[in-house]
Amino acid sequence: QVQLVESGGGSVQTGGSLRLSCAASGATSSRNVMAWFRQADGKEREGVAAIYNGGVSTYYAASVKGRFTISQHNNGNTVYLQMNSLKPEDTAVYYCAAGPLGALASWFTPRYYNYWGQGTQVTVSS
């Protein structure tokens, strides 16, 4: 079993920054790939960023590339999402997800991940 607990959400104005944290515990073999997803009201859950093997490989959605940075620390037990230059369209509930190595086949697809956190709200006002 894997447990994921997110923190760090909140409300900011356009152009502001937030850092989300995901504390992971449990079987490391089940969390080779760690990712952040987000889901805005009335929209499907979408992949934001993913990381593999402590940062050997990172992946970003086009909409956040250059603004967001995913990183992994504490022997892989903590994953951060540093979000800069936030825009109103970044408003969503952000979820941390963990999956096996196979998740790299399509890192942005939710069904490849077996474990999810409870989510943390990010609101960006104009």
Side-chain angles (χ1 to χ4, degrees), residues 69-113:
T69 303
I70 189 170
S71 60
Q72 197 167 20
H73 302 270
N74 190 24
N75 292 323
N77 293 323
T78 305
V79 178
Y80 296 110
L81 184 68
Q82 178 67 44
M83 304 186 295
N84 299 327
S85 302
L86 283 161
K87 305 175 181 180
E89 51 263 43
D90 294 318
T91 295
V93 178
Y94 283 70
Y95 297 91
C96 179
L101 185 60
L104 290 179
S106 184
W107 71 266
F108 46 86
T109 302
R111 65 182 176 88
Y112 281 87
Y113 296 83

